[in-house]
Amino acid sequence: MYNRPSALPTYAATVRVSLRPSVLDPAGEAARACAARLGVCRIHKLRIGKAIEVCLDAESEASARQQLELLSDRLLANPVIENWDLELHEVR
């Protein structure tokens, strides 16, 4: 992790992005088919998503959350077909 001196608190976040339930997941279906070929046959559902780790300095947790929500809505996820959730904590 890149560290730099800052008077502001540092926050770490994980943004998890997943396809909306109504959206088909061809990658998930392909992985489920491959799992069956490997002998793991009783998977009913397998969906592929992504996790993005972000570390930023902000004046407060509320400010960090606001910036990360903007980032998630506008850059990390496609709101038409994807949902996202955010896990945030201060780094000590």
Side-chain angles (χ1 to χ4, degrees), residues 11-15 52-56 68 71 76 88:
Y11 295 89
T14 302
V15 180
I52 300 106
E53 294 182 5
V54 182
C55 194
L56 76 155
L68 288 160
L71 188 65
L76 302 178
L88 175 66

Side-chain angles (χ1 to χ4, degrees), residues 34-47:
C34 288
R37 287 193 295 277
L38 291 172
V40 182
C41 300
R42 294 198 170 120
I43 296 175
H44 297 280
K45 179 175 150 182
L46 192 155
R47 295 185 60 88

Side-chain angles (χ1 to χ4, degrees), residues 6-11 56-60 90-91:
S6 174
L8 298 173
T10 300
Y11 295 89
L56 76 155
D57 296 337
E59 295 175 1
S60 66
E90 186 174 350
V91 177

